[in-house]
Amino acid sequence: MLKGLLDWRAGSPSHAFLISAWQARRWLNGLQADAEVGRQVRTWLQQATRAARQLPAVRRQVRRLSRSVQAPVVGLSIQALGPGRVSVAGKMLTLTDWQTQSVRDLFFYFLTLPGAASKEQIGAVLWPEIEEPARLRLRFKNEIYRLRRAVGKDTILLFENEQYAFNRSMEYEYDVEAFESYLQRAQDSEEEEQKILYYQKALGLVNGLFLEDIEAVWVFAERERLNRAFTSSSLALAALLKKRKQFDEALATCQRAIQFDPAYESAYREAMEIAALSGNRADVVRWYEACQAAMRQELDLPISAETQALYERLLGRM
């Protein structure tokens, strides 16, 4: 039976076969020295290793697609769309667990990195006051030790070519990644109902500005990027709901976008159009005046010619 299995050559091994091979890797390791089957076993183990590394990402996608089945709680859960929160095995980490605020900040900084960075690059961003290489090495060593201890995983970071990166191949859930995944699915979906569903899932994850409890320069660019994604997606969802004549939900979506960005003029225009479709002239005027006040207060600017023209056009129809 074993000989028959190892003689298998037709096609590529299935994903299930590779996962089984990964689970049985200790036993299969002993076969690599076999002259007859060793080469094939080594190939399978290499493929199985690659498949195993992809499993956490696959499970994250399954959890995000789950609609009726309750997804299991993952070991590491991270929230950054609002105040930063990290849970390990269902327990929220406190400042006592992190030991210092800077360790917590370092953890979230790793999540914002698109790739890897050296200790010198990280130090220049997080601790620019430390100029001596010896002091930086000691500070970095202590921070990394505390970070790994707080999360309870030595594998939380990858280290290669003198650079560090967050280990995205491990099992975790991160609301920013889920938010962007849902938005991408909404944009890719051809069915209106699916678009609405995914937009609602994405926007439902947002509990405030990105890491709103961390005021640091390295946060601001990511905060602005995600804020733009939130407001533009809110407008897209409001337009879909308006098309379906779900006016109350559409207006609530516009209002939430305005709460995030009081000077987001496009949301006021959308709200004015929805109010007009509802036949509510008073609300058209109210949203127009709210837009005027916000533009003056936030930017010290008048409303745009586009908003003014829309207002006059809507009132002319009513």
XYZ file of all heavy atoms in Angstrom, residues 76-159:
677
model
N -5.086 35.156 18.080
C -4.635 36.544 18.103
C -5.611 37.398 17.305
O -5.780 37.199 16.099
C -3.226 36.647 17.512
C -2.631 38.055 17.407
C -2.475 38.685 18.787
C -1.290 38.015 16.683
N -6.255 38.333 17.972
C -7.228 39.213 17.325
C -6.782 40.662 17.517
O -6.511 41.086 18.644
C -8.621 39.001 17.922
O -9.562 39.876 17.330
N -6.718 41.414 16.417
C -6.182 42.780 16.454
C -7.218 43.747 15.894
O -7.785 43.518 14.818
C -4.894 42.878 15.612
C -3.902 41.784 16.004
C -4.266 44.257 15.748
C -2.859 41.500 14.950
N -7.451 44.826 16.622
C -8.358 45.884 16.168
C -7.598 47.202 16.150
O -6.934 47.555 17.124
C -9.563 45.991 17.094
C -10.461 44.768 17.084
C -11.530 44.850 18.159
O -11.254 44.734 19.345
N -12.758 45.072 17.722
N -7.696 47.908 15.039
C -7.032 49.206 14.919
C -7.957 50.264 14.327
O -7.588 51.431 14.268
C -5.777 49.077 14.058
N -9.167 49.879 13.904
C -10.120 50.833 13.350
C -10.917 51.444 14.496
O -12.078 51.147 14.718
C -11.036 50.143 12.333
C -10.293 49.614 11.100
C -11.221 48.804 10.215
C -9.663 50.753 10.312
N -10.258 52.314 15.220
C -10.739 52.871 16.474
C -9.573 52.791 17.451
O -8.410 52.782 17.034
N -9.813 52.703 18.739
C -8.701 52.500 19.677
C -8.017 51.165 19.407
O -8.676 50.176 19.072
C -9.398 52.501 21.051
C -10.714 53.155 20.829
C -11.118 52.845 19.423
N -6.694 51.121 19.539
C -5.967 49.881 19.314
C -6.255 48.858 20.393
O -6.173 49.162 21.587
N -6.600 47.647 19.972
C -6.891 46.563 20.914
C -6.275 45.273 20.397
O -6.356 44.985 19.203
C -8.396 46.367 21.105
C -9.108 47.544 21.772
C -10.525 47.165 22.140
N -11.232 48.234 22.829
C -12.042 49.112 22.259
N -12.266 49.023 20.951
N -12.639 50.057 22.948
N -5.706 44.491 21.294
C -5.133 43.200 20.940
C -5.630 42.176 21.954
O -5.534 42.392 23.164
C -3.594 43.230 20.958
C -3.022 41.862 20.585
C -3.066 44.307 20.010
N -6.176 41.076 21.448
C -6.647 39.992 22.310
C -5.878 38.718 21.990
O -5.641 38.405 20.819
C -8.148 39.744 22.105
O -8.901 40.872 22.492
N -5.499 38.013 23.018
C -4.813 36.730 22.871
C -5.662 35.673 23.559
O -5.924 35.771 24.754
C -3.403 36.764 23.494
C -2.746 35.386 23.406
C -2.537 37.815 22.802
N -6.127 34.696 22.784
C -6.997 33.634 23.309
C -8.214 34.222 24.024
O -8.635 33.723 25.056
C -6.219 32.707 24.236
N -8.767 35.286 23.447
C -9.973 35.895 24.010
C -9.739 36.883 25.128
O -10.680 37.519 25.598
N -8.497 37.061 25.573
C -8.183 37.982 26.666
C -7.561 39.260 26.098
O -6.564 39.216 25.380
C -7.209 37.335 27.653
C -6.755 38.263 28.784
C -5.689 37.599 29.632
C -5.161 38.539 30.715
N -4.423 39.702 30.135
N -8.166 40.403 26.433
C -7.662 41.682 25.976
C -6.380 42.041 26.715
O -6.325 41.998 27.946
C -8.709 42.765 26.221
C -8.333 44.120 25.650
S -8.677 44.211 23.894
C -10.488 44.208 23.913
N -5.330 42.362 25.959
C -4.073 42.765 26.581
C -4.199 44.178 27.150
O -4.782 45.062 26.531
C -2.936 42.728 25.561
C -2.598 41.371 24.933
C -1.346 41.489 24.067
C -2.409 40.301 25.996
N -3.644 44.379 28.323
C -3.643 45.679 28.971
C -2.229 46.251 28.934
O -1.277 45.577 28.531
C -4.108 45.568 30.429
O -3.136 44.795 31.164
C -5.468 44.868 30.519
N -2.094 47.481 29.398
C -0.769 48.100 29.431
C 0.174 47.317 30.346
O 1.386 47.283 30.113
C -0.881 49.552 29.898
C 0.364 50.426 29.672
C 0.777 50.425 28.205
C 0.119 51.836 30.173
N -0.381 46.656 31.351
C 0.441 45.806 32.224
C 1.059 44.665 31.424
O 2.222 44.302 31.638
C -0.406 45.240 33.373
O -0.953 46.324 34.124
C 0.423 44.359 34.284
N 0.293 44.099 30.500
C 0.816 43.012 29.661
C 1.922 43.520 28.737
O 2.936 42.843 28.533
C -0.307 42.401 28.825
C -1.382 41.752 29.679
O -1.028 40.919 30.523
O -2.568 42.103 29.516
N 1.717 44.713 28.176
C 2.712 45.284 27.272
C 3.939 45.788 28.042
O 5.011 45.920 27.474
C 2.120 46.444 26.475
C 1.039 46.078 25.519
C -0.287 46.384 25.615
C 1.180 45.341 24.290
N -0.978 45.894 24.532
C -0.110 45.249 23.705
C 2.262 44.760 23.643
C -0.324 44.594 22.496
C 2.045 44.113 22.430
C 0.760 44.033 21.868
N 3.737 46.155 29.293
C 4.746 46.743 30.180
C 4.960 48.231 29.909
O 5.060 49.022 30.847
C 6.082 45.997 30.117
C 5.973 44.541 30.611
C 7.323 43.899 30.779
O 8.199 44.443 31.414
N 7.477 42.720 30.157
N 5.039 48.633 28.650
C 5.164 50.058 28.336
C 4.325 50.382 27.104
O 4.048 49.504 26.273
C 6.623 50.463 28.049
O 7.044 49.851 26.828
C 7.561 50.091 29.184
N 3.947 51.648 26.986
C 3.201 52.097 25.819
C 4.022 51.936 24.537
O 3.491 51.630 23.470
C 2.799 53.572 25.995
C 1.985 54.162 24.852
C 0.594 53.579 24.774
O -0.031 53.288 25.793
N 0.092 53.401 23.553
N 5.326 52.124 24.641
C 6.170 52.053 23.442
C 6.204 50.640 22.862
O 6.336 50.472 21.640
C 7.585 52.539 23.755
O 8.216 51.690 24.699
N 6.079 49.617 23.705
C 6.032 48.237 23.198
C 4.741 48.026 22.407
O 4.752 47.429 21.318
C 6.124 47.223 24.356
C 5.934 45.801 23.847
C 7.460 47.345 25.067
N 3.650 48.526 22.947
C 2.359 48.438 22.245
C 2.420 49.191 20.916
O 1.937 48.706 19.884
C 1.256 49.012 23.143
C -0.143 49.007 22.555
C -1.104 49.557 23.599
N -2.465 49.659 23.096
C -2.953 50.731 22.466
N -2.156 51.778 22.234
N -4.204 50.753 22.056
N 3.010 50.381 20.929
C 3.143 51.155 19.699
C 3.991 50.409 18.674
O 3.691 50.421 17.472
C 3.775 52.515 19.990
C 2.841 53.444 20.754
O 1.682 53.060 20.993
O 3.276 54.546 21.123
N 5.054 49.764 19.137
C 5.925 49.006 18.243
C 5.151 47.881 17.560
O 5.315 47.646 16.359
C 7.111 48.433 19.018
C 8.076 47.526 18.235
C 8.726 48.289 17.092
C 9.143 46.955 19.173
N 4.290 47.204 18.314
C 3.471 46.134 17.740
C 2.620 46.668 16.590
O 2.595 46.090 15.491
C 2.585 45.522 18.828
C 1.617 44.500 18.309
C 2.003 43.188 18.110
C 0.300 44.852 18.011
C 1.110 42.242 17.622
C -0.599 43.917 17.525
C -0.184 42.612 17.333
N 1.922 47.769 16.823
C 1.059 48.319 15.782
C 1.876 48.907 14.630
O 1.428 48.891 13.475
C 0.117 49.368 16.365
C -1.051 48.777 17.100
C -1.130 48.837 18.483
C -2.065 48.135 16.406
C -2.202 48.276 19.156
C -3.145 47.564 17.077
C -3.216 47.636 18.457
N 3.067 49.414 14.932
C 3.926 49.932 13.859
C 4.288 48.813 12.885
O 4.268 49.010 11.666
C 5.189 50.557 14.445
C 6.142 51.060 13.387
C 5.847 52.187 12.628
C 7.338 50.382 13.132
C 6.711 52.631 11.640
C 8.216 50.826 12.152
C 7.897 51.953 11.408
O 8.752 52.389 10.426
N 4.602 47.622 13.401
C 4.922 46.500 12.537
C 3.751 46.193 11.594
O 3.964 45.820 10.436
C 5.272 45.256 13.351
C 6.712 45.189 13.765
C 7.077 45.189 15.101
C 7.722 45.127 12.814
C 8.416 45.125 15.486
C 9.060 45.061 13.189
C 9.405 45.061 14.529
N 2.537 46.352 12.081
C 1.363 46.070 11.250
C 1.206 47.072 10.115
O 0.599 46.753 9.085
C 0.098 46.069 12.107
C -0.085 44.844 13.001
C -1.119 45.121 14.080
C -0.507 43.641 12.172
N 1.707 48.288 10.293
C 1.578 49.294 9.233
C 2.667 49.164 8.176
O 2.536 49.747 7.095
C 1.632 50.724 9.809
O 2.934 50.986 10.341
C 0.588 50.916 10.894
N 3.728 48.412 8.474
C 4.820 48.273 7.510
C 4.372 47.422 6.314
O 3.844 46.326 6.490
C 6.026 47.606 8.165
C 6.830 48.436 9.164
C 7.915 47.570 9.802
C 7.455 49.650 8.484
N 4.581 47.905 5.094
C 4.220 47.085 3.927
C 5.170 45.916 3.726
O 4.847 44.952 3.048
C 4.334 48.084 2.765
C 5.296 49.120 3.244
C 5.100 49.231 4.722
N 6.367 45.996 4.329
C 7.339 44.914 4.207
C 8.145 44.788 5.478
O 7.594 44.796 6.574
N 9.446 44.700 5.324
C 10.331 44.554 6.471
C 11.155 45.828 6.668
O 11.257 46.666 5.769
C 11.257 43.360 6.267
N 11.733 45.972 7.859
C 12.562 47.136 8.171
C 13.659 46.726 9.141
O 13.498 45.792 9.937
C 11.716 48.259 8.754
N 14.771 47.425 9.081
C 15.877 47.158 9.988
C 15.626 47.846 11.322
O 14.787 48.743 11.425
C 17.189 47.668 9.383
O 17.173 49.094 9.325
N 16.384 47.452 12.340
C 16.233 48.092 13.646
C 16.569 49.578 13.562
O 15.977 50.403 14.257
C 17.077 47.387 14.703
C 18.570 47.548 14.548
C 19.330 47.098 15.791
C 19.239 45.612 16.050
N 20.048 44.815 15.097
N 17.517 49.934 12.677
C 17.880 51.342 12.519
C 16.733 52.138 11.913
O 16.448 53.266 12.342
C 19.132 51.477 11.638
C 20.413 50.977 12.272
C 20.537 49.457 12.286
O 19.784 48.789 11.516
O 21.358 48.925 13.063
N 16.060 51.557 10.923
C 14.917 52.240 10.301
C 13.768 52.398 11.299
O 13.128 53.453 11.367
C 14.450 51.450 9.080
C 15.432 51.483 7.923
C 15.051 50.516 6.814
O 14.596 49.398 7.072
N 15.228 50.935 5.572
N 13.525 51.346 12.070
C 12.457 51.395 13.067
C 12.789 52.401 14.155
O 11.941 53.202 14.566
C 12.233 49.986 13.660
C 11.702 49.046 12.570
C 11.260 50.046 14.843
C 11.713 47.589 12.967
N 14.048 52.389 14.608
C 14.467 53.324 15.644
C 14.353 54.765 15.208
O 13.971 55.643 15.993
N 14.665 55.048 13.935
C 14.601 56.419 13.423
C 13.170 56.952 13.455
O 12.939 58.157 13.621
C 15.149 56.478 12.004
N 12.183 56.050 13.314
C 10.776 56.464 13.325
C 10.228 56.545 14.751
O 9.588 57.528 15.124
C 9.922 55.484 12.493
C 8.433 55.814 12.641
C 10.340 55.539 11.029
N 10.487 55.512 15.546
C 9.872 55.422 16.873
C 10.673 56.102 17.978
O 10.095 56.624 18.932
C 9.642 53.950 17.239
C 8.679 53.172 16.338
C 8.501 51.762 16.852
C 7.322 53.862 16.237
N 11.995 56.056 17.882
C 12.833 56.622 18.948
C 13.931 57.499 18.346
O 15.134 57.207 18.472
C 13.462 55.494 19.789
C 12.487 54.395 20.101
C 11.326 54.505 20.796
C 12.579 53.014 19.719
N 10.684 53.292 20.870
C 11.436 52.351 20.215
C 13.527 52.278 19.012
C 11.211 51.000 20.022
C 13.305 50.926 18.805
C 12.157 50.298 19.310
N 13.548 58.563 17.664
C 14.555 59.399 16.987
C 15.541 60.068 17.941
O 16.614 60.497 17.518
C 13.701 60.448 16.259
C 12.408 60.479 17.020
C 12.183 59.080 17.493
N 15.188 60.123 19.226
C 16.079 60.757 20.199
C 17.289 59.888 20.528
O 18.273 60.378 21.094
C 15.310 61.076 21.484
C 14.929 59.892 22.351
C 13.698 59.120 21.860
O 13.156 59.493 20.799
O 13.290 58.152 22.534
N 17.232 58.596 20.178
C 18.360 57.696 20.460
C 19.308 57.690 19.268
O 18.967 57.200 18.195
C 17.862 56.260 20.749
C 16.915 56.252 21.948
C 19.036 55.326 21.002
C 16.359 54.889 22.281
N 20.476 58.236 19.447
C 21.447 58.339 18.359
C 22.569 57.319 18.467
O 23.132 56.900 17.448
C 22.035 59.753 18.323
C 20.984 60.830 18.041
C 21.581 62.225 18.011
O 22.805 62.344 18.281
O 20.843 63.182 17.716
N 22.912 56.907 19.694
C 24.017 55.968 19.867
C 23.593 54.553 19.468
O 22.581 54.053 19.959
C 24.499 55.951 21.326
C 24.993 57.302 21.825
C 23.868 58.161 22.375
O 22.688 57.828 22.093
O 24.166 59.136 23.065
N 24.327 53.883 18.569
C 23.979 52.528 18.126
C 23.833 51.533 19.275
O 22.929 50.677 19.251
C 25.140 52.145 17.202
C 25.664 53.455 16.705
C 25.505 54.406 17.853
N 24.683 51.626 20.295
C 24.616 50.674 21.411
C 23.314 50.836 22.186
O 22.683 49.844 22.582
C 25.814 50.867 22.339
N 22.911 52.086 22.421
C 21.647 52.333 23.131
C 20.452 51.853 22.312
O 19.492 51.297 22.852
C 21.490 53.832 23.424
C 22.311 54.335 24.620
C 21.935 55.773 24.925
N 20.519 55.897 25.259
C 19.810 57.012 25.065
N 20.374 58.080 24.517
N 18.547 57.057 25.420
N 20.531 52.059 21.000
C 19.434 51.614 20.130
C 19.323 50.095 20.152
O 18.220 49.554 20.243
C 19.653 52.111 18.706
C 18.608 51.620 17.678
C 17.203 52.088 18.063
C 18.967 52.096 16.281
N 20.460 49.392 20.072
C 20.424 47.926 20.100
C 19.794 47.416 21.381
O 18.972 46.496 21.360
C 21.844 47.363 19.941
C 22.394 47.402 18.540
C 23.611 46.501 18.394
N 24.698 46.919 19.269
C 25.627 47.808 18.929
N 25.599 48.381 17.744
N 26.590 48.129 19.783
N 20.164 48.017 22.517
C 19.615 47.590 23.800
C 18.128 47.883 23.883
O 17.332 47.028 24.313
C 20.357 48.296 24.944
C 19.902 47.929 26.360
C 20.098 46.436 26.614
C 20.663 48.759 27.397
N 17.731 49.085 23.468
C 16.312 49.447 23.500
C 15.495 48.514 22.612
O 14.436 48.010 23.014
C 16.148 50.909 23.023
C 14.697 51.382 22.836
C 13.988 51.555 24.167
N 12.641 52.043 24.020
C 12.291 53.344 23.992
N 13.230 54.294 24.062
N 11.039 53.691 23.881
N 15.997 48.272 21.417
C 15.280 47.418 20.473
C 15.168 45.993 21.005
O 14.094 45.368 20.933
C 16.011 47.420 19.129
C 15.219 46.804 18.015
C 14.216 47.512 17.379
C 15.477 45.508 17.595
C 13.485 46.948 16.354
C 14.750 44.933 16.571
C 13.752 45.659 15.947
N 16.258 45.471 21.552
C 16.254 44.110 22.093
C 15.211 43.972 23.200
O 14.438 43.000 23.236
C 17.638 43.763 22.630
C 17.736 42.377 23.259
C 19.139 42.116 23.798
C 19.224 40.763 24.473
N 20.594 40.515 25.019
N 15.166 44.942 24.109
C 14.206 44.896 25.219
C 12.765 45.010 24.728
O 11.875 44.313 25.218
C 14.506 46.009 26.223
C 15.788 45.751 26.999
O 16.228 44.613 27.118
N 16.400 46.809 27.517
N 12.534 45.902 23.749
C 11.171 46.095 23.235
C 10.667 44.835 22.530
O 9.509 44.435 22.704
C 11.135 47.280 22.268
C 11.584 48.601 22.866
C 10.536 49.261 23.716
O 9.682 49.967 23.168
O 10.571 49.063 24.944
N 11.528 44.228 21.726
C 11.133 43.016 21.010
C 10.844 41.881 21.994
O 9.872 41.124 21.835
C 12.228 42.592 20.010
C 12.344 43.618 18.880
C 11.940 41.209 19.443
C 11.132 43.696 17.988
N 11.675 41.763 23.011
C 11.461 40.721 24.028
C 10.103 40.911 24.700
O 9.327 39.959 24.867
C 12.573 40.778 25.073
C 12.324 39.903 26.285
C 12.503 38.530 26.223
C 11.876 40.465 27.488
C 12.257 37.722 27.330
C 11.627 39.675 28.592
C 11.818 38.309 28.514
O 11.559 37.515 29.602
N 9.790 42.143 25.099
C 8.518 42.414 25.760
C 7.333 42.213 24.823
O 6.266 41.741 25.236
C 8.525 43.843 26.315
C 9.466 44.025 27.500
C 9.651 45.488 27.841
N 10.489 45.657 29.033
C 10.996 46.810 29.427
N 10.774 47.920 28.711
N 11.733 46.874 30.520
N 7.499 42.583 23.557
C 6.424 42.391 22.577
C 6.087 40.915 22.437
O 4.920 40.514 22.484
C 6.858 42.994 21.240
C 5.833 43.092 20.105
C 6.279 44.148 19.085
C 5.636 41.769 19.380
N 7.110 40.095 22.247
C 6.880 38.655 22.081
C 6.285 38.047 23.348
O 5.411 37.171 23.272
C 8.196 37.960 21.734
C 8.646 38.213 20.299
C 10.013 37.645 20.028
N 10.319 37.649 18.601
C 11.542 37.754 18.091
N 12.589 37.865 18.911
N 11.732 37.738 16.785
N 6.722 38.519 24.484
C 6.202 37.988 25.739
C 4.734 38.383 25.926
O 3.922 37.569 26.381
C 7.039 38.514 26.903
C 6.629 37.945 28.250
C 7.557 38.411 29.349
N 7.164 37.859 30.639
C 7.768 38.129 31.775
N 8.830 38.940 31.790
N 7.352 37.589 32.903
N 4.383 39.610 25.581
C 2.999 40.071 25.739
C 2.045 39.258 24.879
O 0.968 38.846 25.323
C 2.895 41.551 25.385
N 2.446 39.014 23.626
C 1.587 38.285 22.692
C 1.668 36.785 22.919
O 0.757 36.038 22.538
C 1.962 38.657 21.238
C 1.104 37.909 20.235
C 1.800 40.162 21.027
N 2.753 36.341 23.547
C 2.891 34.920 23.840
C 3.299 34.088 22.652
O 3.053 32.881 22.606
N 3.937 34.741 21.643
C 4.356 34.016 20.453
C 5.741 34.494 20.026
O 5.922 35.665 19.685
C 3.371 34.248 19.289
C 2.006 33.614 19.495
C 1.123 33.879 18.299
C -0.259 33.269 18.484
N -0.242 31.819 18.466
N 6.700 33.594 20.028
C 8.032 33.946 19.542
C 8.026 34.153 18.035
O 8.920 34.802 17.484
C 9.037 32.853 19.902
C 9.333 32.821 21.395
O 9.127 33.855 22.064
O 9.758 31.760 21.901
N 7.009 33.582 17.359
C 6.951 33.652 15.896
C 6.191 34.873 15.391
O 5.905 34.971 14.202
C 6.273 32.387 15.341
O 4.962 32.256 15.929
C 7.090 31.149 15.659
N 5.852 35.800 16.290
C 5.068 36.968 15.889
C 5.804 37.819 14.862
O 5.201 38.485 14.028
C 4.697 37.828 17.126
C 3.677 38.907 16.766
C 5.921 38.451 17.751
C 2.311 38.393 16.523
N 7.146 37.788 14.896
C 7.962 38.563 13.971
C 8.867 37.649 13.158
O 9.330 36.617 13.655
C 8.819 39.584 14.718
C 8.083 40.626 15.561
C 9.085 41.492 16.319
C 7.171 41.487 14.701
N 9.113 38.040 11.922
C 10.076 37.352 11.070
C 11.370 38.161 11.051
O 11.338 39.395 11.079
C 9.534 37.224 9.649
C 8.234 36.434 9.474
C 7.777 36.496 8.027
C 8.397 34.995 9.929
N 12.489 37.479 11.023
C 13.791 38.150 10.962
C 14.606 37.530 9.845
O 14.896 36.340 9.858
C 14.536 38.018 12.290
C 15.894 38.660 12.284
C 16.031 40.030 12.147
C 17.040 37.871 12.400
C 17.289 40.619 12.140
C 18.300 38.454 12.379
C 18.421 39.837 12.250
